[in-house]
Amino acid sequence: MNTMNTMVNKTLAVLAAAGILTMGAGGAGYALAKSSSSKALPQDPSCVTDGLSSVSSDVAYASGLSSESDLLQYMSASAATPSTQDPFKEETVYVIAGQDGTVNKVIVSDWIRNTAGKNDVQDVSELSDVQVLKDGETFTMGGENTRVWNASTDDIYYQGNIEKELPVDVKVSYFLDGSPIAPSELPGKSGRVTIRFDYTNNTYEMKEINGKSEKIYVPFTMLTGLLLDNSAFANVEVSNGKIINDGSRTAVIGFAFPGLSEDLGISPDKLTIPDYVEISADCVNFSMGMTVTIASNEIVNQIDPEKLKSGESIDLDGAMQELTDAMEQLTDGSSKLYDGLCTLLDKSKELVTGIDQLADGAQKLADGAASLDEGAGKLADGTKQLYDGLSELDAHSSELNDGARQVFEGLLETAYEQLNDAGLSVPQLTIGNYAEVLNGVINSLDDSAVYQQALDTVTSAVEEKRDYIRGQVTAAVRSEVETKVEEGVREGVTEKVIPAVREQVQEAVEENVRAAVAEQVIQTAAGMDKASYDQAVAAGLVDAATQQMIEGAIDQQMATDDVQALIEQNTEAQMESAEIQGQISAAVDQQMATADVQSIISSKVDETMAGADIVALIDQNTDAQVEKTISETMAGDEVQTKLEAASEGAKKVIDLKASLDGYNAFYIGLSDYTSAVGQVLTGAGSLKDGASQLKDGTAQLSSGANTLNDGILQMKDGAPALIDGITQLRDGAMQLSSGLNEFDEKGVQKIVDLVDGDLAGLAARLQATMEVSKNYINYSGIADGMDGQVKFIYKTEEIE
């Protein structure tokens, strides 16, 4: 039973806390995401920026979310590691959408991890317009969208387009002051704006649940994020998610689970699982950048569905009835404890009244001792009555002390059980050790001690990954350096190619101009076109002198300023044409691809990377990433929850000790009181004996009377502390009873109502949901036997 409850509770907790778990990535995760995506992101600039525009952006990111690109990295940072030696296909689908979520284009980026180092990798993909993103990799097409990649033992990166229904549709609606509004009308508006993201899950499998075939949707976690400028937006709220404000910008990240309520078969009136995200804010002069939505089923894939199979044999009805019965017994017991303490308080008041009466009698005895002459006989009778009454009272002192001790020990046992139920391991509490034990627990829950322990643990864990983080930062810096070096070399090559192309173009232009000039000269000199003239020359009908004259005239015309200007003008026009520019670009690309140029680039990159400024930059970025990871982890919900739990736990233990201290004061006062009764009894006996010898020594009688009076006054002075202690104990018992009733109503009965005798059915649905999730590993196609994972990134247009 405990194992099954734990598995179901953990499953629901993982699903409900998905935003936090995903958003907790930082530091090394961010660097890894950048390193991976820099190879696999689409080249289309209208898609999603890759966050690597310059090395300096790493430093900017360490101080906060400065752009939508940073927000995307913060939300999607992850790195799956294949668990087998078979190729692993990691796919990212970029959905370019309009302001209302309408899909404009879908680009798919695939990364095949060649973990086994194979030369030939089998692949299946429905993508069109495939672009290979890594030089030197080629593939051979087969039937039914199959490809065989010549990977040379390396990983494979490619991307392409696809027209296919998305697993989840995203619709974005906008409202201004409660009324719907088109996004195109929002720019410049002011008021209370609401942006709602509705998600429709289109992907499911038919599963048999308790003998009935039902749709089980792939459990996608939807994370939607956007950045709002604090100068334009205030009082930001999100229906379910997280808000991060750095003083100048507010990052809003919401999460939802479309289809999960149907998968688990849980009624919304018992448990609401969000299937939309709604963001509201007060805005002035509305303007907003893009929004990013990530869809992934990786969270559910972390749970092993085999561990839920044992849920079919659970006697849930019996367990829930036992839980209900136990709570009834516990609340009944707390009520009886309160009633008993009320009775004890009432009787204690009667006891105080008796003590007051006893004090009055003692005073009268003292007065009587001073007036011994007025009646020694009366004094003897009075002292006998006093002695008899004190004897009766003293006879019950042991029972009163034993009862108080039993109540004290019962309270200590209850406190011990509460501490253990709260996860605090303490020795058995006794009257003698409870104060020392509880003080030790309170000290162990001190905020500073818990915080320092958490900080030491987090720092150690992050420092172990420093080399890895430095490697990712170095890769990012090298990529930027390579880009800069290639740009410089390309400029140099272009400067050499352009003069050579210009020379060729000018020769062609001169040839065309000469032909036109020759046509005019021949027509003027010979009265015929050039073709006829050439035929006449070939037939020997034109003498050499005429030919020489015509050639001279052509040369003379070609040498004129007008013709030379025409040649220059046509050459410049040809150089600016798309055809010639394409030839120049092709020639430059050809030169750039030569081994000599590539060797120059490689040498220059290595030289730059070895420079002191680059090494210092890598060190600086590595330190920043390490510090950022530590800070984000310490600020994360997991550490903060532990600190809050420690602080709350310390308060409860302090309150518990205060209650026990109050009863201890009563217990000690009661012991003092019964001891005083014994002393008074002894004095009364002496008084009785002395009364019979009154004439032998009135001084002895007066002294005994004074001693008796002092003892009774001491007992009377201690009586208010007794009443206060019992009153505190009664009030504490009332709080205990009220707390147990509230826990029963808001805790236990909610659990009973939620489960409603069908935990086995819920386990079956959870198992089916996780099986469907693990089956969904790709969008555009995957080869048999290949494992993988896929996530979808939706980007909407800015509203400006």
Side-chain angles (χ1 to χ4, degrees):
M1 176 66 188
N2 290 336
T3 302
M4 190 61 214
N5 279 335
T6 300
M7 176 58 68
V8 173
N9 290 338
K10 284 186 176 179
T11 302
L12 292 175
V14 166
L15 295 174
I20 297 173
L21 290 175
T22 305
M23 292 184 291
Y30 166 71
L32 179 57
K34 294 199 301 179
S35 176
S36 301
S37 61
S38 64
K39 296 179 179 179
L41 283 176
Q43 297 172 346
D44 186 349
S46 67
C47 185
V48 181
T49 58
D50 63 4
L52 291 175
S53 58
S54 68
V55 177
S56 62
S57 65
D58 287 335
V59 179
Y61 187 85
S63 62
L65 299 173
S66 60
S67 67
E68 285 82 357
S69 173
D70 294 332
L71 179 65
L72 171 62
Q73 299 291 351
Y74 179 74
M75 293 168 59
S76 63
S78 63
T81 302
S83 59
T84 67
Q85 290 299 312
D86 295 326
F88 184 89
K89 189 172 187 178
E90 182 171 343
E91 187 167 79
T92 303
V93 181
Y94 300 93
V95 182
I96 313 306
Q99 296 167 343
D100 61 353
T102 302
V103 177
N104 296 328
K105 187 175 183 181
V106 178
I107 302 174
V108 180
S109 178
D110 282 312
W111 173 12
I112 300 178
R113 301 189 182 191
N114 191 7
T115 53
K118 296 181 179 180
N119 289 319
D120 295 327
V121 177
Q122 301 289 331
D123 183 28
V124 173
S125 177
E126 301 176 26
L127 298 182
S128 61
D129 302 326
V130 172
Q131 300 179 34
V132 180
L133 302 178
K134 185 175 181 181
D135 293 340
E137 292 182 345
T138 60
F139 63 84
T140 303
M141 288 295 299
E144 299 182 354
N145 297 321
T146 61
R147 289 180 175 84
V148 178
W149 288 89
N150 179 14
S152 301
T153 73
D154 292 334
D155 287 0
I156 301 164
Y157 303 88
Y158 67 92
Q159 69 180 35
N161 302 325
I162 192 171
E163 293 185 3
K164 182 179 181 181
E165 182 184 39
L166 292 168
V168 180
D169 292 333
V170 179
K171 177 185 176 183
V172 189
S173 305
Y174 302 85
F175 304 85
L176 183 62
D177 294 330
S179 300
I181 186 172
S184 59
E185 299 177 4
L186 270 173
K189 294 289 195 305
S190 299
R192 185 68 177 177
V193 66
T194 299
I195 308 171
R196 180 182 172 111
F197 296 82
D198 288 288
Y199 314 100
T200 302
N201 196 331
N202 303 317
T203 310
Y204 61 86
E205 292 184 23
M206 300 304 296
K207 287 286 187 177
E208 184 173 332
I209 306 295
N210 297 330
K212 180 181 178 182
S213 181
E214 295 191 26
K215 288 182 180 180
I216 300 297
Y217 293 89
V218 175
F220 286 103
T221 299
M222 308 298 296
L223 290 177
T224 292
L226 54 85
L227 286 178
L228 300 176
D229 194 325
N230 289 355
S231 64
F233 294 89
N235 300 322
V236 182
E237 296 178 351
V238 61
S239 58
N240 26 274
K242 183 176 183 180
I243 296 176
I244 305 171
N245 192 328
D246 67 357
S248 60
R249 306 189 77 177
T250 298
V252 186
I253 304 174
F255 63 90
F257 309 95
L260 186 59
S261 292
E262 291 84 350
D263 287 352
L264 301 182
I266 297 178
S267 175
D269 58 356
K270 292 184 178 181
L271 178 64
T272 300
I273 299 178
D275 58 4
Y276 71 91
V277 169
E278 193 169 87
I279 300 168
S280 299
D282 297 331
C283 71
V284 177
N285 192 17
F286 183 92
S287 175
M288 186 180 74
M290 72 174 186
T291 72
V292 177
T293 298
I294 298 175
S296 173
N297 62 330
E298 267 306 292
I299 293 175
V300 177
N301 286 347
Q302 304 302 317
I303 307 171
D304 185 0
E306 295 298 322
K307 294 183 179 180
L308 292 176
K309 291 185 176 179
S310 60
E312 300 174 358
S313 61
I314 297 174
D315 180 13
L316 187 63
D317 291 336
M320 291 297 101
Q321 187 59 48
E322 289 179 8
L323 179 60
T324 301
D325 293 344
M327 281 306 303
E328 289 178 355
Q329 294 176 13
L330 191 57
T331 53
D332 288 345
S334 66
S335 297
K336 291 178 181 178
L337 173 62
Y338 175 72
D339 293 340
L341 289 172
C342 287
T343 301
L344 177 60
L345 180 60
D346 292 339
K347 296 301 181 183
S348 297
K349 291 178 181 178
E350 294 178 7
L351 177 62
V352 171
T353 300
I355 293 174
D356 290 339
Q357 294 172 355
L358 184 61
D360 291 339
Q363 184 62 49
K364 291 178 181 178
L365 178 61
D367 293 340
S371 305
L372 184 61
D373 291 337
E374 295 180 3
K378 293 180 180 180
L379 177 59
D381 292 340
T383 55
K384 184 178 183 304
Q385 293 177 3
L386 176 62
Y387 182 82
D388 292 342
L390 289 175
S391 295
E392 181 68 18
L393 188 61
D394 185 64
H396 294 287
S397 293
S398 178
E399 296 177 6
L400 186 60
N401 284 329
D402 289 342
R405 185 181 66 257
Q406 291 176 7
V407 172
F408 202 177
E409 290 174 348
L411 292 175
L412 292 172
E413 180 63 25
T414 301
Y416 171 79
E417 293 175 355
Q418 290 177 349
L419 291 172
N420 278 275
D421 289 343
L424 298 173
S425 178
V426 297
Q428 189 68 44
L429 298 179
T430 66
I431 297 174
N433 75 353
Y434 86 90
E436 180 180 357
V437 170
L438 293 185
N439 284 334
V441 172
I442 293 169
N443 291 335
S444 71
L445 294 175
D446 178 68
D447 288 352
S448 59
V450 175
Y451 179 87
Q452 187 60 46
Q453 181 181 5
L455 178 61
D456 292 342
T457 302
V458 169
T459 301
S460 177
V462 173
E463 285 294 340
E464 289 180 358
K465 297 182 179 180
R466 175 178 283 274
D467 290 342
Y468 172 77
I469 294 173
R470 182 181 180 83
Q472 299 305 310
V473 171
T474 301
V477 173
R478 187 176 186 88
S479 176
E480 181 68 18
V481 169
E482 288 174 349
T483 300
K484 298 296 185 183
V485 170
E486 287 181 358
E487 289 176 356
V489 172
R490 178 175 288 275
E491 289 179 1
V493 171
T494 302
E495 290 176 357
K496 294 181 180 180
V497 168
I498 289 177
V501 174
R502 182 183 182 85
E503 182 179 351
Q504 296 175 0
V505 170
Q506 187 168 356
E507 289 177 357
V509 169
E510 287 179 351
E511 183 178 347
N512 291 335
V513 171
R514 186 177 185 86
V517 169
E519 188 74 43
Q520 294 177 357
V521 170
I522 293 172
Q523 184 69 38
T524 301
M528 62 180 72
D529 57 31
K530 188 175 185 302
S532 301
Y533 173 76
D534 289 340
Q535 292 177 358
V537 171
L541 300 178
V542 181
D543 59 71
T546 301
Q547 293 181 39
Q548 185 175 4
M549 178 204 56
I550 288 174
E551 287 298 324
I554 291 172
D555 291 339
Q556 185 178 3
Q557 284 291 324
M558 288 296 293
T560 64
D561 292 339
D562 290 343
V563 172
Q564 289 299 314
L566 178 62
I567 292 173
E568 181 66 22
Q569 180 181 355
N570 289 349
T571 299
E572 289 299 330
Q574 285 292 316
M575 287 298 293
E576 296 297 328
S577 67
E579 179 182 1
I580 298 303
Q581 288 298 315
Q583 292 178 5
I584 293 173
S585 178
V588 171
D589 290 341
Q590 184 177 7
Q591 287 293 319
M592 288 295 292
T594 62
D596 290 342
V597 173
Q598 289 299 314
S599 176
I600 292 172
I601 293 173
S602 178
S603 298
K604 184 63 177 177
V605 169
D606 291 340
E607 179 183 349
T608 304
M609 289 298 293
D613 56 339
I614 294 297
V615 173
L617 179 61
I618 291 173
D619 291 339
Q620 179 183 0
N621 286 353
T622 300
D623 292 339
Q625 289 293 330
V626 169
E627 290 300 321
K628 174 178 172 294
T629 303
I630 294 173
S631 297
E632 286 185 346
T633 304
M634 288 300 297
D637 287 349
E638 181 178 356
V639 173
Q640 291 302 312
T641 298
K642 289 181 179 179
L643 294 177
E644 292 173 2
S647 177
E648 189 64 25
K651 282 198 220 172
K652 291 181 179 179
V653 176
I654 290 171
D655 292 341
L656 176 62
K657 183 176 182 296
S659 298
L660 293 175
D661 286 342
Y663 188 85
N664 191 32
F666 156 74
Y667 179 77
I668 295 173
L670 180 63
S671 177
D672 291 343
Y673 158 72
T674 55
S675 177
V677 169
Q679 294 176 8
V680 172
L681 178 61
T682 301
S686 299
L687 180 61
K688 176 185 175 184
D689 294 340
S692 64
Q693 303 173 2
L694 177 60
K695 293 181 179 182
D696 297 334
T698 57
Q700 182 179 358
L701 176 59
S702 179
S703 177
N706 288 333
T707 300
L708 174 63
N709 189 46
D710 291 341
I712 293 175
L713 288 177
Q714 181 181 0
M715 182 167 60
K716 183 177 180 180
D717 292 339
L722 172 65
I723 296 299
D724 290 343
I726 296 176
T727 300
Q728 292 178 14
L729 185 61
R730 181 202 62 181
D731 293 343
M734 183 177 181
Q735 294 176 2
L736 173 63
S737 179
S738 299
L740 287 173
N741 284 325
E742 184 178 1
F743 175 66
D744 183 40
E745 294 173 3
K746 297 183 179 180
V748 172
Q749 294 307 316
K750 288 288 185 181
I751 295 174
V752 173
D753 292 342
L754 175 62
V755 174
D756 197 19
D758 191 26
L759 184 57
L762 178 59
R765 287 182 170 274
L766 281 172
Q767 181 178 347
T769 300
M770 287 183 281
E771 289 174 352
V772 170
S773 179
K774 288 185 180 294
N775 291 339
Y776 193 84
I777 60 175
N778 194 264
Y779 173 66
S780 66
I782 194 168
D784 292 340
M786 182 183 291
D787 196 5
Q789 71 176 34
V790 59
K791 65 182 174 184
F792 299 81
I793 300 177
Y794 300 73
K795 177 245 178 190
T796 65
E797 294 177 346
E798 300 84 351
I799 302 178
E800 296 180 344

